[in-house]
Amino acid sequence: MTGNSVALRGAVLSFTASPFDSPADTCFRYEPDGLVLVTEGVVTDVGPAAERLQTLPEETELHHYPHGLIMPGMIDCHVHYAQTDIIASYGKQLIDWLNNYTYPAEQRFSDMETARRIARFFLGESLRSGTTTSAVFCTVDAVSVEAFFLESEALNMRNIAGKVLMDRNAPKALLDTPQSSVDESQALIDRWHGRGRAMYAVSPRFAPTSSAEQMELTGQLWQANPGTFLQSHVSENLGEIEWVKELYPERLNYVDVYHHYGQLGERAILGHGLHLSESEFQVLHDTGTAIAHCPTSNLFLGSGLFDFERALAAHRPVRIGLATDLGAGTSFSQLVTMSEAYKVGQLGGYSLSALQAFFLATRGAAEALYLDDVIGSLEAGYEADMVVFDLAGTALLEHRQAQAESIEDVLFLLMMLGDDRSVEATYIAGNRVYNKADGATLQYAV
Ligand code: GUN
Ligand code: ZN
């Protein structure tokens, strides 16, 4: 429980630097038989079990995972909880998919009971997949945000979420106005940002669904609330990019729209970024804006292939975090997402290593969100959000892992063959909220 001490024993892995710009053997700490000690929800010590067990305070509750790999909880940098009911909807690309499936589904979130039920299911699936923090789009209705944060708070989760702002090019029932959207967003920021572990993201859906006036006020709102996030979408689909050119003819390109309206900077996260020009990457780098890479979504909607090499170019690297982008994305599991990221990389001639993939869902994602001093690593002082992977979660994995010769082999097999069956347990602030042995039941904090 949060107030007491708990110790997890098993293999422990946490990154200390980026495997994109440090040699592989210097960027992580690995204890084959380690102990993570947690007190009052915070990691207080990580070290070899044999040594640390000698000095373990007597009242400490010990959870031993002889076949488990303990890691910081997975972080999902871009996801839509209100699209849970339309995952795997057939046959469309972005704009038709939004019109045919997404907008009808999002209209149901003006009802608190529906919104809480779906939020609870969404968070349960996230935890079953080992994801402990997500940057979440709610819908245009403030109720959808209230519902999400209430459910997140009941689990004591560090989640980022916000109300979608959109005042054009969507069904009437989903439109706000420039003034109502910023007034409602400000009220939600005042109520939720920094309450417990909740964090707020100002969430203009994407440039096509906001008027110039709404874009202007949205940028001002974000600038007036330091510490909050801003999340949106950029350069996902070729038709979408043409549309943005028509709607904003005076702007240089898609990224320039957000730049012009003061929506880029630290803690701004843009989903996708598949078809960006060199000058757009440069602006993202200069402003410290992050891209959320969403491989299952990009493949599902036929949007395109993310270019790791260009995004990470050494002269102007852009911060990248891994993301599911449900409901265009097709899996809650960041393991599955890593596997698809690997395949996307392969098609572009870039072979993402297992260390790089796991970094993008832990410390790298935390860096993209500017939360790398709080979550994404297992070291003394970090919040104790953790996943315990079961390396033998399926018969095939058990069979194949027997041949692994290094931690890199172990991780690569886990990301290529793993899914929610590979999650043994998930901890939020030291509290085991999900335990595979107990089935789908979640342990609520309050
Ligand atoms: N662009 C604008 N809205 C959305 C959305 O809900 N999902 C995806 N994948 N792209 C978007
Ligand atoms: Zn999205």
Side-chain angles (χ1 to χ4, degrees), residues 295 322 334-344 357 414-418:
L322 196 65
Q334 286 289 50
L335 297 178
V336 173
T337 309
M338 286 177 213
S339 158
E340 299 307 292
Y342 176 78
K343 295 168 196 165
V344 165
L414 188 59
M415 80 184 227
M416 295 313 298
L417 302 175

Side-chain angles (χ1 to χ4, degrees), residues 78-80 83 137 205 232-233 236 271-272 294 297 325-326 328:
H78 178 117
V79 61
H80 303 254
Q83 297 174 11
F137 287 77
R205 178 171 218 118
S232 193
H233 297 82
E236 177 178 4
H272 309 294
C294 313
S297 164
D325 192 32
L326 299 169

Side-chain angles (χ1 to χ4, degrees), residues 282-333:
Q282 185 70 51
V283 171
L284 297 179
H285 167 82
D286 292 344
T287 55
T289 303
I291 296 178
H293 171 38
C294 313
T296 71
S297 164
N298 298 157
L299 296 171
F300 180 74
L301 290 180
S303 302
L305 301 174
F306 182 70
D307 190 334
F308 286 97
E309 198 127 29
R310 287 187 68 219
L312 293 164
H315 63 288
R316 45 122 199 84
V318 174
R319 288 170 188 247
I320 312 285
L322 196 65
T324 64
D325 192 32
L326 299 169
T330 48
S331 175
F332 276 86
S333 169

Side-chain angles (χ1 to χ4, degrees), residues 140-357:
V140 77
D141 283 296
V143 164
S144 71
V145 184
E146 185 72 14
F148 180 81
F149 275 134
L150 286 170
E151 292 298 327
S152 175
E153 184 173 67
L155 289 157
N156 191 25
M157 291 178 76
R158 181 166 288 295
N159 281 314
I160 303 166
K163 172 199 135 52
V164 164
L165 297 90
M166 53 177 171
D167 67 349
R168 65 170 169 173
N169 293 323
K172 221 168 167 197
L174 285 180
L175 296 183
D176 49 23
T177 69
Q179 199 57 51
S180 74
S181 65
V182 296
D183 290 350
E184 285 180 23
S185 298
Q186 184 65 62
L188 287 163
I189 292 169
D190 295 343
R191 182 163 159 75
W192 284 106
H193 186 66
R195 169 167 152 178
R197 303 182 77 202
M199 295 174 295
Y200 197 85
V202 175
S203 309
R205 178 171 218 118
F206 66 155
T209 47
S210 287
S211 64
E213 189 189 350
Q214 183 169 59
M215 290 295 273
E216 179 75 38
L217 292 184
T218 300
Q220 289 171 10
L221 171 77
W222 184 49
Q223 303 287 342
N225 288 277
T228 59
F229 297 78
L230 182 136
Q231 57 183 356
S232 193
H233 297 82
V234 76
S235 197
E236 177 178 4
N237 168 287
L238 295 174
E240 169 211 18
I241 295 167
E242 285 309 307
W243 197 22
V244 171
K245 275 190 198 148
E246 285 165 26
L247 292 169
Y248 295 90
E250 67 286 8
R251 302 274 60 92
L252 294 173
N253 49 48
Y254 203 156
V255 165
D256 188 49
V257 177
Y258 296 118
H259 199 202
H260 176 77
Y261 291 110
Q263 298 183 15
L264 301 184
E266 297 186 2
R267 297 191 179 220
I269 317 133
L270 300 178
H272 309 294
L274 301 183
H275 312 284
L276 297 173
S277 63
E278 179 56 31
S279 61
E280 288 178 295
F281 276 121
Q282 185 70 51
V283 171
L284 297 179
H285 167 82
D286 292 344
T287 55
T289 303
I291 296 178
H293 171 38
C294 313
T296 71
S297 164
N298 298 157
L299 296 171
F300 180 74
L301 290 180
S303 302
L305 301 174
F306 182 70
D307 190 334
F308 286 97
E309 198 127 29
R310 287 187 68 219
L312 293 164
H315 63 288
R316 45 122 199 84
V318 174
R319 288 170 188 247
I320 312 285
L322 196 65
T324 64
D325 192 32
L326 299 169
T330 48
S331 175
F332 276 86
S333 169
Q334 286 289 50
L335 297 178
V336 173
T337 309
M338 286 177 213
S339 158
E340 299 307 292
Y342 176 78
K343 295 168 196 165
V344 165
Q346 286 285 72
L347 285 168
Y350 189 95
S351 302
L352 192 70
S353 74
L355 289 172
Q356 290 168 340

